[in-house]
Amino acid sequence: MGKFLAAAAVSALMTTGAYAATFSGSFALSGDAFSDPGLVVNADPMSHTGSFDLDVGDSITFDLFDIWTDENSVGSDDTVAQSIIADFDFTSPAVSGTLGGSSIGNRSFTGFYQSGSVSWGGPISLAFGNGGQLDLELSDATFNRGNWWSTNPGDENGATIRLTATYVSESISPVPLPASGLLLVAGLGGLAAARRRKKAS
């Protein structure tokens, strides 16, 4: 089961009762971090579709994707930050947004300790419907930390990026006036028109 989809199962186990909303959609990764120049990173999955359930005021945190590098050492070009972007596209409710971040290769002053790291901006707030808000935040991480003047390459030494979603406020549907209310509005409009005619004469 994919990480994004698995969150729904996790939340169902941890919470009982009816949920205020089910959030369904997908995410996809892109950015300069996945190619040279710079420390080249890999991620799995690069995109995924799934859903999770939340009550208003609640949060859920779950694994979104793994990140790592296969490079054996951090060179001078690897110490320049590269962009990494996570695009979120929800179909229910219909709302989308982007969390931008950067990855970089790190090495100590002597170069003995080396690693990669990723940091994210955010959190971001996604507004939907009439007053609805969902906040999304991704975790920072250090990956493939090694010594003896090299990294510790490979996915088994990578890190897991986690997504925290917070259902801040619920979308409020406009309440239609009952038929009697519509008649009252029409009646008031008619009275106003009659008064204007009387004034004019």
Side-chain angles (χ1 to χ4, degrees):
M1 189 184 315
K3 297 175 185 297
F4 199 42
L5 187 62
V10 171
S11 64
L13 287 171
M14 294 177 63
T15 311
T16 58
Y19 296 109
T22 296
F23 295 88
S24 301
S26 62
F27 82 92
L29 299 174
S30 61
D32 297 335
F34 297 101
S35 59
D36 275 322
L39 184 75
V40 179
V41 301
N42 303 286
D44 182 43
M46 286 289 290
S47 62
H48 198 72
T49 300
S51 63
F52 54 88
D53 299 315
L54 275 179
D55 287 317
V56 176
D58 286 350
S59 297
I60 185 172
T61 299
F62 53 89
D63 297 346
L64 192 64
F65 64 91
D66 295 330
I67 188 169
W68 72 93
T69 185
D70 288 325
E71 295 199 26
N72 293 304
S73 62
V74 175
S76 57
D77 67 313
D78 299 329
T79 59
V80 177
Q82 303 295 320
S83 67
I84 183 168
I85 298 161
D87 288 309
F88 295 90
D89 185 15
F90 290 91
T91 54
S92 176
V95 64
S96 60
T98 297
L99 259 168
S102 62
S103 65
I104 193 169
N106 309 298
R107 55 184 179 178
S108 62
F109 178 71
T110 60
F112 184 79
Y113 298 107
Q114 301 191 4
S115 66
S117 63
V118 59
S119 58
W120 301 92
I124 58 168
S125 296
L126 306 183
F128 59 91
N130 183 17
Q133 181 179 326
L134 178 70
D135 287 358
L136 301 177
E137 185 172 16
L138 291 175
S139 61
D140 298 342
T142 298
F143 51 90
N144 298 105
R145 188 178 188 276
N147 48 31
W148 301 107
W149 296 276
S150 68
T151 64
N152 201 1
D155 59 345
E156 67 276 11
N157 301 308
T160 297
I161 304 301
R162 311 196 79 204
L163 172 68
T164 298
T166 305
Y167 190 8
V168 177
S169 59
E170 189 172 8
S171 178
I172 307 299
S173 300
V175 180
L177 280 171
S180 57
L182 291 172
L183 288 173
L184 177 63
V185 170
L188 290 172
L191 280 174
R195 289 178 93 181
R196 281 195 297 273
R197 280 196 301 271
K198 192 172 182 182
K199 252 186 179 176
S201 56

